[in-house]
Amino acid sequence: MDALELRERLAVAASSLRSCLEQQQAAGIAFLPAATGTQAEEPRGPVTAAEGGEVAAATDLQELRDVLGDCRRCKLSGGRSRIVYGVGRADADVMFIGEGPGEDEDREGEPFVGRAGQLLTDIITKGMRLRREDVYIANVVKCRPPRNRDPEPDEVAACEPFLVRQIELVRPRVIIALGRAAAQTLLRSTEAISRLRGRWHDYHGIRLMPTFHPAYLLRNPGEKRLVWEDIKSVLRELGTAA
Ligand code: SF4
């Protein structure tokens, strides 16, 4: 192919690309997806036996975070911006566990930020008279499920060894499971959160109180009084009730 022919072919290709883009623009498509050069990475599967040993051997939360690494063990890794590991006091008496990060958490890398997070902070500070940094906050899965759907069983199974070890390392006196998905997952139950909440359960020897998720309370503020009942039970258990 000579230079003239090459130029003509490039001109034809440029013209057809321009007309394609104009058609897309007319259809309201403003952006083209960024080219990555690679296909989305396949999840590489749950912890191996060797990694299970490393999880069990982690002696503090930072060591465990290092074992987690840039985790690609389940398909949630494909849609996340950041891993949301957990935050708070390493030897907290109270550990809050939600189901998974939402949009705000995925962006900031911290559990329970945004409006639901502010409500949880109010529960901790105004209801429990603690500081947010006095408790530990984590989720069942550490990457955001698409469209905030419930985590799927394979995703929970892949992530659970890390949550279990976080609980073992923090050794809280009380776990508060926030919402149906977290409570059902931790308790291996299919009961509705309205039936699970308000009474104590056992999680491997740790007292566990399920209650409604703050995001649910934002939609149903009338249910806050039930959460307050649950929190009062927790305060009695801790011996810090007013
Ligand atoms: S949800 Fe958990 S197991 Fe899945 S990729 Fe994220 S950190 Fe890994």
Side-chain angles (χ1 to χ4, degrees):
M1 186 188 315
D2 62 22
L4 184 59
E5 195 181 347
L6 178 62
R7 253 200 319 273
E8 281 172 358
R9 286 196 185 190
L10 284 173
V12 169
S15 161
S16 83
L17 177 60
R18 187 179 309 113
S19 103
C20 174
L21 289 172
E22 284 167 356
Q23 281 172 19
Q24 296 209 350
Q25 199 171 29
I29 299 171
F31 301 101
L32 289 175
T36 60
T38 55
Q39 295 294 313
E41 217 177 296
E42 281 291 309
R44 67 165 188 75
V47 291
T48 61
E51 288 172 334
E54 290 179 47
V55 169
T59 56
D60 63 37
L61 291 166
Q62 184 54 54
E63 231 176 83
L64 182 64
R65 178 67 187 84
D66 293 343
V67 177
L68 183 67
D70 180 33
C71 184
R72 305 270 160 193
R73 294 176 180 88
C74 85
K75 59 187 180 298
L76 292 181
S77 61
R80 72 160 183 246
S81 303
R82 301 177 66 173
I83 290 177
V84 181
Y85 176 61
V87 69
R89 194 173 160 134
D91 61 349
D93 281 343
V94 182
M95 186 164 177
F96 288 90
I97 302 177
E99 64 187 74
E103 188 180 0
D104 295 319
E105 291 77 15
D106 179 63
R107 188 177 54 245
E108 304 214 6
E110 180 170 331
F112 286 94
V113 292
R115 284 181 68 220
Q118 183 55 54
L119 183 49
L120 177 62
T121 302
D122 287 347
I123 290 170
I124 295 165
T125 56
K126 297 177 184 166
M128 305 180 80
R129 306 260 175 236
L130 293 170
R131 296 174 308 163
R132 188 173 153 109
E133 53 269 36
D134 289 331
V135 304
Y136 194 82
I137 309 172
N139 281 306
V140 169
V141 292
K142 304 190 187 312
C143 300
R144 182 191 181 195
R147 297 172 304 283
N148 296 339
R149 64 158 168 77
D150 285 354
E152 293 176 352
D154 60 316
E155 297 156 358
V156 171
C159 215
E160 200 168 25
F162 295 95
L163 177 65
V164 169
R165 189 68 186 137
Q166 277 175 303
I167 296 170
E168 287 172 351
L169 290 168
V170 175
R171 296 177 62 83
R173 289 173 59 196
V174 170
I175 293 171
I176 302 177
L178 295 167
R180 175 184 53 80
Q184 290 183 343
T185 300
L186 291 167
L187 296 173
R188 301 281 192 267
S189 169
T190 55
E191 267 194 280
I193 183 68
S194 55
R195 293 179 60 82
L196 289 171
R197 63 145 294 277
R199 57 195 169 93
W200 286 104
H201 302 259
D202 178 78
Y203 180 84
H204 302 288
I206 301 172
R207 306 274 277 163
L208 186 148
M209 175 62 76
T211 196
F212 292 124
H213 194 283
Y216 172 82
L217 295 181
L218 290 174
R219 299 190 299 273
N220 302 276
E223 305 285 47
K224 283 183 185 173
R225 67 184 173 81
L226 295 176
V227 172
W228 177 229
E229 292 302 320
D230 300 339
I231 294 299
K232 281 196 289 188
S233 293
V234 170
L235 294 175
R236 280 195 295 275
E237 177 70 20
L238 296 170
T240 56

